[in-house]
Amino acid sequence: MFKIFRKNHTTANIELQDNNQLSALKLAAKKTADEFNVDEQNIQSSIFASAAAGNTIIADRAVFMYATNEKKSRVHTMMMTFKNPVAWGNDKTPIDYLIVGMFPADSDQDTVNAVTEKITNIMQDKSEQLDDIKFNNSDLNKLNQSFTD
């Protein structure tokens, strides 16, 4: 019942002025900080470190990265979709879904791995529907909520 009041941490159909990975990362940090009311510079550092550690590409069109923060007591996710795919990583994978996990500061690698696996499984299960979900705010919110249910 309380899920009705849960904030939806999604933004659909973003058109980046500079359609590149750096612009997408900066926007992800800003939106994550705004959505979760945390310091943008710390989130940017955390997201950039996550991206530098290696890209988790899901269903050949989504990228998952994460940040930690001492203000968070449970895992949350934030998702953005891009109107035009962003060439991501050395392979220039066309990314149109960007997912950021927000973890409590004391989260261990097993927790991060479990959430990453859950997101990967859900995105792969929905892979044939992702084109339709991408621009539908209601479906996008449901998809994002399924990652932490």
Side-chain angles (χ1 to χ4, degrees):
M1 175 169 174
F2 291 105
K3 288 184 184 179
I4 294 170
F5 302 108
R6 189 158 86 175
K7 185 172 182 178
N8 297 315
H9 301 291
T10 57
T11 306
N13 204 24
I14 295 170
E15 197 164 357
L16 294 170
Q17 186 172 352
D18 295 320
N19 197 40
N20 59 48
Q21 184 175 343
L22 182 59
S23 292
L25 286 169
K26 287 180 179 178
L27 181 62
K30 179 173 180 18
K31 287 204 163 287
T32 301
D34 290 347
E35 289 287 324
F36 299 114
N37 195 29
V38 294
D39 180 69
E40 183 178 342
Q41 193 59 46
N42 288 343
I43 296 305
Q44 184 172 338
S45 296
S46 199
I47 285 175
F48 276 55
S50 177
N55 295 307
T56 301
I57 305 292
I58 303 168
D60 295 324
R61 67 183 301 171
V63 65
F64 174 71
M65 59 197 60
Y66 69 93
T68 60
N69 192 277
E70 67 281 346
K71 291 183 178 180
K72 295 294 143 197
S73 60
R74 68 178 206 84
V75 177
H76 299 275
T77 55
M78 188 275 305
M79 184 176 358
M80 304 183 318
T81 63
F82 300 109
K83 181 175 184 177
N84 301 307
V86 176
W88 206 272
N90 294 335
D91 296 339
K92 304 291 184 207
T93 303
I95 295 299
D96 57 353
Y97 279 80
L98 188 148
I99 306 160
V100 177
M102 174 59 74
F103 291 79
D106 62 352
S107 296
D108 60 17
Q109 192 60 46
D110 289 340
T111 302
V112 173
N113 292 345
V115 172
T116 304
E117 183 177 350
K118 183 174 184 178
I119 290 170
T120 300
N121 291 339
I122 290 169
M123 291 294 284
Q124 288 174 342
D125 288 347
K126 302 265 186 197
S127 64
E128 291 181 17
Q129 301 163 359
L130 291 177
D131 284 337
D132 296 329
I133 293 171
K134 180 178 171 179
F135 301 119
N136 183 312
N137 285 326
S138 176
D139 289 344
L140 193 62
N141 290 333
K142 288 177 191 172
L143 177 62
N144 188 55
Q145 289 176 357
S146 71
F147 299 152
T148 55
D149 281 346

